[in-house]
Amino acid sequence: MVALVIALALFFDFTNGFHDTANAMATPIATGAIKPKTAVALAAALNLVGAFLSTEVAKTVSGGIIREGSGGVQITPDIIFAGLMGAVLWNMITWLKGLPSSSSHALFGGLIGAAIIGIGFHAVNLETLLQKVILPAIFAPVIAGLVAYICTRIAYALTARHDPETGSKLTQKRGGFRTGQIFTSSLVALAHGTNDAQKTMGIITLVLISAGTQQPGSGPQLWVITACALAIAIGTYAGGWRIIRTMGAGLTEVKPAQGFAAESSTASAILASSHLGFALSTTQVASGSVIGSGMGRRGTTVRWRMVGRIALGWLFTLPAAGIVGALTALLVKTGVVGVVIAAVAGIGAVLYMFLVSRKSQVGHHNAVEVEEAGQAIRFAKKKALARARAAERAKNKNLKGPQL
Amino acid sequence: MKWLELLTVAGATLVAAVTVVVLYSLGVRLTAIAGDRQVAAPAWVKYLSYACFGLCGLAVMFGLYLIIPYFSG
């Protein structure tokens, strides 16, 4: 059971990674600041570094939402297994739909559902739930969006260049922001690594402690840290292209200065919140920033229909993951056979969704579209144009060749 | 409810993001002026733009220093 939970936890870390690549890298890819492949590699490396950077781990994962420890209830590996199943499945579903949704909320939802079935309703601390999950979920996008709006306004106001005599617009020369985007997006990726890899480390440590193989109250072991860091890095490198497309192009059209402003706000918000102890979800902050920056730049429209879809996804995250977690907990309760059924069903569902994603990949040109969109902008445009011309010339030569 | 913490986070986010964006935008602006073809800009403009980028980098570094427990203890 312990091995099974650890494997599932690492897989959750993997889905967390590829689900959240978009937070850091969607805007630089959309503006063409970094090539898609390079971007995900950079994000993966920084996630790896970030996972090792922060040593302040092993806080209880659920953050007191489930009353655990002395005087509370005992969290068993069974419940963690069920909770993780809910989180993983919800992550896969939202990825399939291309919706950026918070992996931590999925995890909370799964654990809550599993705890209600496995232990009882009294296991859930509603006040902490409100304070740690629901209110931040409302404020995170609002704060990030507002800050991004202000920053975008400032960035454009400061770099607007007019001819002093005629008042006509000069060339704006805002290309420098593209370079800046590389740094700000790296910062976001780093912040993500320090935040999200810790969750899985905490879970595995919790399982090890409850199984009695580790001293209570001790930090995560080195192999746990390494495995989690690797899992999140590999997941990031796999790249959730569907979500990147939503964040980079689905919400609003992103320009370099705007992307720079959005990423600065995202990075500041995540780092400030994780430092000052008011946890905000990376995904929600990043989405809010992109929307806010879209409102800040003149001449862009925010696609509110997409915003609505994402908000709806956030609303469903907690209950949906909770239901899956609860169902799994029910299965697990029946004994070994139930665990096997749950594991097989989970693997089956993940495989099924993967297959479905392969099917529509061909239909909608998902990943490819992102890659081409990224390369088609400015930097690569010249190269692509040159290549196209060369190809044309070669073709003409071939045509003429045999005739002469 | 931790309203105060929420406000602190919002304020810190605003200050940090605005600092970075203002410095970087000024840098971009000054680079653009220094690179103008028609009107030769004084040499200090270029160095000022470097200073802006440098300060911006320092601000980011300071933020990282605050965040990473290894450094700030």
Side-chain angles (χ1 to χ4, degrees), chain A residues 144-162:
Chain A
L146 209 66
V147 172
Y149 174 81
I150 296 169
C151 286
T152 311
R153 274 293 164 90
I154 292 175
Y156 275 100
L158 279 178
T159 52
R161 281 152 48 82
H162 294 279

Side-chain angles (χ1 to χ4, degrees), chain A residues 118-170:
Chain A
I119 303 168
F121 199 73
H122 65 276
V124 179
N125 193 342
L126 276 180
E127 197 187 333
T128 324
L129 175 70
L130 186 73
Q131 187 167 322
K132 291 220 169 172
V133 180
I134 296 175
L135 285 175
I138 299 168
F139 285 113
V142 173
I143 292 176
L146 209 66
V147 172
Y149 174 81
I150 296 169
C151 286
T152 311
R153 274 293 164 90
I154 292 175
Y156 275 100
L158 279 178
T159 52
R161 281 152 48 82
H162 294 279
D163 198 303
E165 282 155 31
T166 58
S168 62
K169 270 190 180 174
L170 288 171

Side-chain angles (χ1 to χ4, degrees), chain A residues 386-404:
Chain A
R387 220 179 295 142
R389 277 190 191 138
E392 194 92 325
R393 245 177 276 139
K395 216 200 303 176
N396 286 343
K397 239 182 229 167
N398 282 348
L399 279 178
K400 280 173 196 161
Q403 281 172 349
L404 285 170

Side-chain angles (χ1 to χ4, degrees), chain A residues 131 135 158 161 176 180 275, chain B residues 1-2 5 24 29 36 66:
Chain A
Q131 187 167 322
L135 285 175
L158 279 178
R161 281 152 48 82
H275 186 58
Chain B
M1 190 52 220
K2 309 184 204 164
E5 282 185 25
Y24 200 89
R29 174 85 194 246
D36 266 346
L66 282 182

Side-chain angles (χ1 to χ4, degrees), chain A residues 50-266:
Chain A
F52 280 106
L53 263 186
S54 191
T55 50
E56 199 186 351
V57 204
K59 285 180 265 173
T60 49
V61 183
S62 53
I65 292 172
I66 295 169
R67 296 198 180 98
E68 61 210 307
S70 56
V73 293
Q74 192 66 45
I75 291 199
T76 58
D78 293 5
I79 289 171
I80 298 175
F81 174 78
L84 278 171
M85 193 61 100
V88 164
L89 287 185
W90 181 250
N91 263 357
M92 290 295 287
I93 292 171
T94 45
W95 164 71
L96 202 60
K97 296 270 171 210
L99 291 177
S101 77
S102 167
S103 303
S104 14
H105 282 194
L107 185 59
F108 289 152
L111 283 175
I112 290 169
I116 289 177
I117 292 296
I119 303 168
F121 199 73
H122 65 276
V124 179
N125 193 342
L126 276 180
E127 197 187 333
T128 324
L129 175 70
L130 186 73
Q131 187 167 322
K132 291 220 169 172
V133 180
I134 296 175
L135 285 175
I138 299 168
F139 285 113
V142 173
I143 292 176
L146 209 66
V147 172
Y149 174 81
I150 296 169
C151 286
T152 311
R153 274 293 164 90
I154 292 175
Y156 275 100
L158 279 178
T159 52
R161 281 152 48 82
H162 294 279
D163 198 303
E165 282 155 31
T166 58
S168 62
K169 270 190 180 174
L170 288 171
T171 38
Q172 306 285 309
K173 290 187 186 166
R174 290 193 180 115
F177 280 115
R178 207 175 264 136
T179 321
Q181 269 195 297
I182 298 173
F183 294 103
T184 46
S185 57
S186 303
L187 209 59
V188 177
L190 191 71
H192 182 256
T194 55
N195 266 340
D196 283 31
Q198 289 192 37
K199 270 180 280 178
T200 317
M201 289 178 209
I203 288 181
I204 295 179
T205 308
L206 200 65
V207 171
L208 287 177
I209 289 174
S210 71
T213 47
Q214 194 177 337
Q215 287 289 317
S218 58
Q221 291 163 5
L222 186 65
W223 70 266
V224 176
I225 301 178
T226 315
C228 290
L230 280 177
I232 206 165
I234 294 169
T236 309
Y237 185 69
W241 296 109
R242 287 157 186 269
I243 303 175
I244 290 179
R245 186 172 62 163
T246 306
M247 294 275 283
L251 283 172
T252 178
E253 198 188 339
V254 186
K255 289 273 186 289
Q258 182 193 352
F260 180 83
E263 281 152 26
S264 316
S265 331
T266 309

